[in-house]
Amino acid sequence: MKKNTQCSVEHKKYVSRLKRRKVLISLMRWGLLAAVIALWEILARAGAIDSFITSSPSRIWETFLSLCKDGSLFTHAGVTLYETVVSFLLATVLGTLIAIALWWCDTMRNVLEPHLVVLNALPKIALGPIIIIWVGAGTGAIIVMALMISLIITVLSTLNGFIEVDKGKLTLLDTMNATKFQKLVHLVLPANVPTIISALKINVGLCWVGTIMGEYLVSRAGLGYLIIYGGQVFKLDLVMTSTVVLCVLAALMYVCVAILEKLAYKKFAKA
């Protein structure tokens, strides 16, 4: 009885230490960000750095309020967010389906995998003019650019996860006369939930990069357009404000994927 009580007390102390560590890390994380912002503002006001080139938190805030007031920020951010979300969903769905097809057919995988590796190494920005000619100078070209950047990574990472499934478990299913579809549904896909979630996290960053890259090439709206416009007319406050908004939107999208990860793990843990 005493031993159980002692274990319970030790467990509570351990949990308490973990909570304190988590709070401390969170405070240090936000404290570091606040310190960088404060130092940036102080150096800009003191003239130690040129606020025309580097801007400053106060000037970024004023530009942000100005863009919100005339509604242009919501328009441009909405355009970029739409392009990013569409390319993210397409890359995830198509990438997973292609990985399944390559896992299903060994011959197809052996033929196409080297080509996918080469395509992944190809700088996608070089295909920008061709994409514009094929798709047109509009939203479609931007989505295709983001899709090209993120799709192959999704295919390769997910396919590697499928291939590395426990061979012993596959052999066990073979002895039970399981079909390939049953292996996929009951073993391969559940075992690769972490791999798919990891691909989603990678795609968040890649899709944002692809979208902004596409907007650099061809766009009349979007945060990438604001950054290019601000650089051309030397409104660097606009450039920095658009960049900060990009960071916030990318972080929020990553948080959504993290929430999805927790829900997926809970579901499969119960299963």
Side-chain angles (χ1 to χ4, degrees):
M1 184 70 178
K2 290 183 179 180
K3 186 176 180 180
N4 292 336
T5 304
Q6 185 178 1
C7 290
S8 178
V9 172
E10 290 297 327
H11 178 71
K12 288 181 180 179
K13 289 182 179 180
Y14 175 73
V15 172
S16 178
R17 284 198 301 269
L18 287 181
K19 288 182 179 180
R20 286 198 301 270
R21 176 180 171 80
K22 187 175 181 180
V23 171
L24 179 61
I25 290 175
S26 181
L27 290 174
M28 292 175 64
R29 183 181 298 159
W30 289 105
L32 177 62
L33 178 61
V36 170
I37 293 174
L39 180 61
W40 184 7
E41 181 67 24
I42 291 170
L43 292 176
R45 288 181 180 272
I49 58 176
D50 190 348
S51 59
F52 175 77
I53 297 176
T54 63
S55 190
S56 67
S58 59
R59 294 178 63 164
I60 290 173
W61 179 248
E62 290 172 2
T63 304
F64 175 79
L65 293 178
S66 176
L67 292 173
C68 289
K69 188 175 181 180
D70 61 22
S72 59
L73 178 65
F74 303 107
T75 300
H76 291 289
V79 169
T80 302
L81 186 61
Y82 167 77
E83 294 164 347
T84 305
V85 170
V86 170
S87 61
F88 174 79
L89 295 176
L90 286 175
T92 301
V93 174
L94 291 177
T96 304
L97 291 176
I98 294 173
I100 290 173
L102 295 177
W103 171 83
W104 193 285
C105 181
D106 293 338
T107 302
M108 185 188 300
R109 181 175 74 245
N110 293 330
V111 171
L112 296 180
E113 192 169 13
H115 298 291
L116 291 175
V117 174
V118 173
L119 287 175
N120 185 50
L122 175 70
K124 310 304 183 299
I125 190 68
L127 300 176
I130 299 176
I131 294 173
I132 294 172
I133 294 172
W134 286 351
V135 183
T139 301
I142 298 171
I143 292 175
V144 170
M145 173 64 73
L147 184 61
M148 290 184 65
I149 290 176
S150 56
L151 178 62
I152 299 176
I153 288 290
T154 305
V155 173
L156 291 176
S157 60
T158 307
L159 178 61
N160 286 335
F162 289 173
I163 295 173
E164 292 174 2
V165 170
D166 192 337
K167 304 299 181 184
K169 294 180 179 179
L170 288 172
T171 303
L172 177 61
L173 290 178
D174 284 332
T175 61
M176 300 171 65
N177 295 323
T179 64
K180 198 133 188 175
F181 180 77
Q182 289 173 327
K183 294 177 186 177
L184 175 68
V185 173
H186 297 291
L187 176 59
V188 176
L189 287 178
N192 279 278
V193 169
T195 302
I196 295 173
I197 294 296
S198 177
L200 290 178
K201 290 179 178 179
I202 295 172
N203 277 347
V204 170
L206 291 178
C207 287
W208 279 104
V209 170
T211 298
I212 299 303
M213 191 182 297
E215 289 183 347
Y216 281 177
L217 289 175
V218 49
S219 68
R220 296 180 180 178
L223 294 173
Y225 167 80
L226 284 183
I227 293 173
I228 290 294
Y229 172 75
Q232 290 174 341
V233 299
F234 292 97
K235 290 184 177 180
L236 300 185
D237 292 336
L238 180 59
V239 174
M240 295 299 295
T241 303
S242 301
T243 303
V244 170
V245 173
L246 273 175
C247 292
V248 172
L249 291 177
L252 290 175
M253 193 168 172
Y254 186 88
V255 168
C256 291
V257 174
I259 293 173
L260 177 64
E261 178 183 19
K262 291 182 179 179
L263 294 175
Y265 283 153
K266 285 182 180 179
K267 181 178 179 181
F268 282 94
K270 291 179 180 179

